[in-house]
Amino acid sequence: MAVRILTTLAGNRAFADRNGLCFRYAALPDDSGASALDFSVESMSAVHEVGRQGALTGTGWR
């Protein structure tokens, strides 16, 4: 699945470049233990907490 996601991101980036569009994406840190593809309450709570901590510490954006 990871390869398919990376391929899709690369295709979207190429489309944006060809059409003069700005390309941005969001990603979870590898060590977060959260999954953006698991929609259970527990997983979404973990994703929320990663985002909350990133916002509080200023590390959420690069």
Side-chain angles (χ1 to χ4, degrees), residues 3-50:
V3 171
R4 189 169 66 199
I5 291 170
L6 292 175
T7 302
T8 300
L9 280 173
N12 290 343
R13 173 67 184 260
F15 176 85
D17 289 345
R18 280 193 313 269
N19 291 283
L21 302 171
C22 182
F23 180 79
R24 300 282 189 260
Y25 69 95
L28 296 169
D30 291 335
D31 63 351
S32 70
S35 172
L37 300 176
D38 178 358
F39 293 98
S40 67
V41 171
E42 295 82 15
S43 181
M44 289 291 100
S45 294
V47 170
H48 178 270
E49 184 59 24
V50 168

